[in-house]
Amino acid sequence: MKKVMIFSSVHPCDDSRIFHKQAVSLAKSGYEVELHAISDVEEKREQGVRIVGVKRASNRFRRLLKGYELYKRARKSGADVFHFHDPELLPWGVLLRLRTGKPVIYDVHEDLPKQIYTKVWINPKIRRPLSRWVHRIEKGLARKLTAVIAATEPIAIQFTGVTRREVIKNYPLPMPMIERQEDGKNQILYVGGVSRLRGYDEMIQMMNHIPEELQAELHIIGPLQHIQVSVEEAERFSERRIYLHGRIPFTEVQQKLASGKVGLVCLHPVENYRESLPIKMFEYMSAGMPVLATDFPLWKEIVEGSDCGFTVNALDPKEMAEKATQILTNTELAKSMSVNGRKAYEENYNWHIEEQKLLRLYQEMGL
């Protein structure tokens, strides 16, 4: 039995892509899988995967030091292949490849150079040169590894010169069809991390343009990032039927998805988002909920190509409201979008399809 060591200095041990998809898929296919990731638990075993906890770093500098700790663990693991998920681990990945001669895989979740432009803690004046410098370093180190897995095609294209490149998209796990719950409420949902670049302000403003007689509710589910909301402001939101839920248990999220009428994924038109594949979009489709998404060409192809929702200018709350109203007031249209979204999810946008790519890559490396 071949042993795989998957590791991350940033992601939690229950990360959807890392654990629930990749690690579990490999374990089910006969690999011995050991996952080292952020956890308060020292060690445990779940779904055939041995999970070894990594303590969360208190700041960015200490996070960089985690790389050395994980490198030492990797050398002692006896693994046949190493699979890591964070750009700061690239130097350690290269060192593992040189010292052990074993396959090393870099899993790229996001376009790091473009991501730099969205970091509020980086001085805007240095973002462009820093992005270019990061691009050269990341790609140069990746060429010394065995393979690169990219979450999207545009990310993969950037890694020219890498021996093996595979696009493994972050589509959701197979989900049973959620039975739609018609409770008579016009609920509009957003599920995921909440920030201004992800449309927080526009979602709030959108509610001013939806006809009052619809009694529409906006439910924002997920942690607020760099946004402070006072108790008084939250109370004013409630009066307007706007509810900030923060993190809630997965079972409660499913209940919301079952009763929601419109799912929002109206992210701002920044470069890092244009070619991304937000999992919330596919979760809405899986739940049979019509989607309202930013009019990026890729998202338009998915949403309008599947006829499961509308795409809009994410900076225009009035247009967002008009399209949401159209769905809320046209029962036949909403039902058609619901059926089409679920069908597209089942046929094209689920993890089972991507799982085959992952297993094929491992097989091609002789594992």
Side-chain angles (χ1 to χ4, degrees), residues 168-200:
I168 298 180
K169 297 174 181 177
N170 201 28
Y171 293 153
L173 292 162
M175 302 180 191
M177 178 62 184
I178 297 176
E179 185 177 348
R180 302 299 302 165
Q181 303 293 325
E182 295 299 332
D183 58 6
K185 296 180 179 179
N186 286 320
Q187 296 187 11
I188 302 171
L189 306 185
Y190 172 89
V191 180
V194 187
S195 69
R196 300 197 186 281
L197 285 178
R198 292 175 181 171
Y200 172 79

Side-chain angles (χ1 to χ4, degrees), residues 10-293:
V10 178
H11 295 87
C13 67
D14 61 350
D15 179 88
S16 177
R17 178 179 176 87
I18 298 173
F19 173 69
H20 290 286
K21 296 173 187 174
Q22 295 183 355
V24 171
S25 291
L26 288 166
K28 286 182 178 178
S29 297
Y31 292 92
E32 179 186 352
V33 182
E34 190 171 291
L35 170 62
H36 294 247
I38 303 300
S39 175
D40 294 329
V41 178
E42 193 169 309
E43 186 176 330
K44 61 182 178 179
R45 180 170 289 274
E46 287 187 17
Q47 299 188 57
V49 178
R50 180 188 176 213
I51 299 172
V52 184
V54 177
K55 291 185 178 180
R56 186 177 298 279
S58 57
N59 55 53
R60 293 187 181 90
F61 175 73
R62 290 187 179 277
R63 197 171 88 184
L64 294 175
L65 297 179
K66 290 291 179 183
Y68 179 57
E69 176 187 336
L70 287 166
Y71 168 75
K72 290 192 297 181
R73 291 190 188 189
R75 290 296 302 272
K76 295 178 181 178
S77 69
D80 297 291
V81 58
F82 306 100
H83 186 154
F84 68 94
H85 288 261
D86 313 309
E88 58 258 51
L89 298 177
L90 270 165
W92 303 109
V94 172
L95 194 58
L96 274 173
R97 177 68 177 146
L98 293 173
R99 292 288 179 87
T100 68
K102 295 177 179 179
V104 179
I105 303 169
Y106 173 35
D107 204 305
V108 193
H109 297 201
E110 298 189 57
D111 188 321
L112 182 62
K114 289 181 180 177
Q115 194 180 36
I116 286 172
Y117 287 96
T118 69
K119 298 296 185 183
V120 297
W121 50 271
I122 298 177
N123 188 321
K125 294 180 180 179
I126 67 169
R127 287 176 189 170
R128 182 182 292 273
L130 180 60
S131 176
R132 291 174 177 170
W133 180 77
V134 166
H135 176 85
R136 294 192 191 99
I137 297 297
E138 183 185 29
K139 278 57 177 183
L141 290 173
R143 291 190 185 104
K144 301 179 186 298
L145 303 176
T146 313
V148 166
I149 292 175
T152 67
E153 282 94 350
I155 293 175
I157 290 170
Q158 297 185 39
F159 287 88
T160 54
V162 174
T163 305
R164 289 185 179 87
R165 289 180 292 172
E166 185 65 66
V167 177
I168 298 180
K169 297 174 181 177
N170 201 28
Y171 293 153
L173 292 162
M175 302 180 191
M177 178 62 184
I178 297 176
E179 185 177 348
R180 302 299 302 165
Q181 303 293 325
E182 295 299 332
D183 58 6
K185 296 180 179 179
N186 286 320
Q187 296 187 11
I188 302 171
L189 306 185
Y190 172 89
V191 180
V194 187
S195 69
R196 300 197 186 281
L197 285 178
R198 292 175 181 171
Y200 172 79
D201 293 318
E202 288 76 18
M203 289 190 288
I204 300 295
Q205 295 165 22
M206 174 192 71
M207 297 301 287
N208 295 329
H209 302 285
I210 294 180
E212 180 63 25
E213 59 267 24
L214 292 178
Q215 294 288 290
E217 300 176 359
L218 173 62
H219 295 265
I220 297 178
I221 302 167
L224 299 181
Q225 300 171 2
H226 308 292
I227 298 173
Q228 299 295 325
V229 179
S230 67
V231 174
E232 293 79 9
E233 189 175 11
E235 289 176 352
R236 289 196 297 271
F237 282 166
S238 295
E239 293 172 0
R240 297 168 56 196
R241 297 182 296 279
I242 298 171
Y243 306 100
L244 306 179
H245 295 273
R247 291 185 185 275
I248 63 175
F250 182 66
T251 52
E252 292 184 28
V253 174
Q254 286 187 306
Q255 291 171 5
K256 287 292 184 185
L257 292 174
S259 58
K261 299 290 183 64
V262 181
L264 299 177
V265 56
C266 297
L267 279 58
H268 282 200
V270 298
E271 285 302 315
N272 193 42
Y273 293 152
R274 290 184 186 278
E275 300 292 340
S276 66
L277 293 169
I279 194 168
K280 64 176 69 65
M281 180 189 298
F282 305 108
E283 289 175 338
Y284 298 154
M285 292 166 66
S286 168
M289 185 163 53
V291 178
L292 195 62

